[in-house]
Amino acid sequence: MNEPLLRELVPAVIGVLVRRGADFAAAEDAVQDAMVEALRVWPDDPPRDLKGWLVTVAWRKFLDAARADTSRRHREVHVETEPAPGRAEAVDDTLRLYFLCAHPSLTPASAVALTLRAVGGLTTRQIALAYLVPEATMAQRISRAKRTVSGVRFHRPGDVATVLRVLYLVFNEGYSGEVDLAAEAIRLTRQLAATTCHEEVAGLLALMLLHHARRPARTGPDGRLVPLAEQDRGLWDTRLIAEGVEVLQTALARDRLGEYQAQAAIAALHADARTAEETDWVQIVEWYDELVRLTDSPVARLNRAVAVGEADGPRAGLAALAGLDPTLPRHTAAAAYLHERDGDPVTAARLYAQAARSAPSLPERDHLTRQAARLNARLRA
């Protein structure tokens, strides 16, 4: 099969779908799916009209995706903003799809990316941001995953660990990103917790509940981002906090610590503090040590550096930060915060402005810009 010719047809096919009413990103995804199908079918049964075949299949893929997205959003509007405690409803098709997309023939990273795109409804750009990789790299990863599973019968579900990773990333995108998926992720994790006795499922559910409990205080009436230390703790949902702590304690009692339990323990310590000043930063650093041991995650190391700055002083935090990759997302913002606490407003203002330019979301960019402006105004006074 002439793959270069196939790729030459892509722009024209995307143009047809856009003229029919598809948005450009959805058209790109549909044509990519059609190309995967062409690579599978054409060697044995090449069509006479290559472009016509691609248009027909791509349009069908677009309609299928649109229907799936509509169904997903329909489910989400039936989920309350604050998820109800207690037993979850019976497992529905969405959770089954998560397991099927986490196929044994895929690497865990590819399975997560494919599931986030095909079932979670996240864009390629959002998934790339979650994985700290360029969008083009993630697009290639998803495309390879689609090619791998094309023609494979989805009768062997994936493992719990991969599904947990997907749910974790979906929740994070819903909690801090552009699409509200947090309640849906909690709903599905409740279902999973009701059907499996797995300490990391419980750990993830506890983590979600403890973070979601703080959601009402995370933004002000004008939509501005409110940092944790400045949040009105009276707005936190004590019911969700109590449930999250109970779920976490049950999981920790099994003495099989995992990354989600460690993260939930950190969230529980924040929730337990009546004021920001009463936060037990020493214990939080200890839990970050466990999290780094379990994951060796650069993000965990970054957050640990900030916690060290709170527990042992800003210079200790800056020393911990110095050993990390400066291109790591939010590294510059963390450095700005620690420099400000260390009494260096000039460096802090410069770093806040620099961090704002690369902020992953508009609310975060606005917050960092205001921080830089606040310090600059103080310096001019």
Side-chain angles (χ1 to χ4, degrees):
M1 185 182 62
N2 191 338
E3 290 190 31
L5 175 60
L6 175 63
R7 296 187 181 280
E8 286 178 9
L9 293 170
V10 167
V13 177
I14 291 176
V16 172
L17 267 61
V18 169
R19 288 193 293 274
R20 288 186 179 184
D23 66 76
F24 188 81
E28 276 190 319
D29 287 337
V31 173
Q32 186 180 73
D33 289 342
M35 288 178 65
V36 171
E37 186 74 6
L39 290 169
R40 186 179 69 86
V41 172
W42 286 10
D44 298 324
D45 186 20
R48 292 182 179 178
D49 180 0
L50 304 184
K51 179 181 175 182
W53 189 96
L54 280 174
V55 168
T56 300
V57 174
W59 183 247
R60 186 174 70 243
K61 298 285 187 183
F62 165 74
L63 292 177
D64 289 345
R67 293 189 191 100
D69 186 63
T70 299
S71 297
R72 177 180 62 79
R73 293 183 185 280
H74 179 71
R75 287 193 300 272
E76 288 172 11
V77 298
H78 284 82
V79 178
E80 294 181 351
T81 301
E82 302 302 337
R87 294 181 60 84
E89 71 269 32
V91 177
D92 66 11
D93 288 341
T94 306
L95 190 57
R96 292 190 183 97
L97 286 173
Y98 272 66
F99 272 94
L100 291 174
C101 283
H103 197 271
S105 64
L106 297 172
T107 65
S110 294
V112 169
L114 178 63
T115 313
L116 290 171
R117 185 71 191 92
V119 187
L122 273 63
T123 66
T124 303
R125 181 180 64 81
Q126 290 168 325
I127 302 169
L129 285 172
Y131 267 89
L132 310 180
V133 299
E135 184 175 351
T137 301
M138 183 53 66
Q140 292 174 354
R141 184 179 299 177
I142 294 171
S143 180
R144 284 195 300 268
K146 290 177 180 179
R147 286 199 298 271
T148 299
V149 300
S150 63
V152 173
R153 292 184 61 191
F154 283 83
H155 61 284
R156 294 172 57 205
D159 65 352
V160 172
T162 301
V163 174
L164 287 179
R165 186 64 181 167
V166 175
L167 289 169
Y168 173 73
L169 292 173
V170 169
F171 176 81
N172 279 348
E173 186 61 38
Y175 187 69
S176 60
E178 301 170 349
V179 183
D180 189 354
L181 298 170
E184 173 71 353
I186 292 175
R187 183 181 74 87
L188 294 173
T189 306
R190 283 194 190 282
Q191 288 185 0
L192 189 56
T195 58
T196 181
C197 185
H198 190 296
E199 56 281 347
E200 275 293 78
V201 175
L204 179 59
L205 178 58
L207 175 63
M208 289 178 173
L209 294 173
L210 289 164
H211 276 299
H212 207 66
R214 301 201 303 256
R215 188 171 187 177
R218 291 186 72 248
T219 55
D222 56 358
R224 291 186 176 187
L225 186 67
V226 180
L228 176 60
E230 300 173 18
Q231 288 177 13
D232 179 356
R233 299 183 179 219
L235 297 176
W236 290 1
D237 189 324
T238 54
R239 174 182 60 81
L240 285 182
I241 291 173
E243 184 188 1
V245 169
E246 181 181 1
V247 171
L248 173 63
Q249 289 174 339
T250 301
L252 291 175
R254 298 172 189 166
D255 199 24
R256 295 181 62 184
L257 185 64
E259 62 174 300
Y260 301 120
Q261 295 170 72
Q263 289 188 62
I266 293 167
L269 286 167
H270 282 298
D272 187 54
R274 290 178 298 177
T275 65
E277 292 72 25
E278 294 178 67
T279 304
D280 189 343
W281 286 106
V282 173
Q283 256 203 95
I284 287 176
V285 171
E286 291 173 355
W287 276 110
Y288 271 122
D289 288 339
E290 290 289 348
L291 186 58
V292 168
R293 180 183 62 81
L294 289 164
T295 66
D296 197 29
S297 162
V299 174
R301 290 182 182 277
L302 175 66
N303 291 333
R304 179 189 177 278
V306 176
V308 167
E310 299 288 356
D312 300 328
R315 293 195 179 181
L318 287 167
L321 198 64
L324 302 179
D325 183 355
T327 65
L328 191 65
R330 298 187 174 91
H331 183 286
T332 307
Y337 172 74
L338 290 170
H339 275 290
E340 180 181 0
R341 288 200 62 230
D342 194 39
D344 185 358
V346 174
T347 301
R350 175 178 57 80
L351 290 174
Y352 275 131
Q354 181 182 332
R357 291 192 288 272
S358 58
S361 68
L362 183 59
E364 192 168 338
R365 186 186 71 188
D366 290 345
H367 169 71
L368 293 168
T369 301
R370 286 195 302 273
Q371 294 293 81
R374 172 179 58 81
L375 290 181
N376 284 325
R378 183 190 304 171
L379 289 168
R380 289 192 298 268

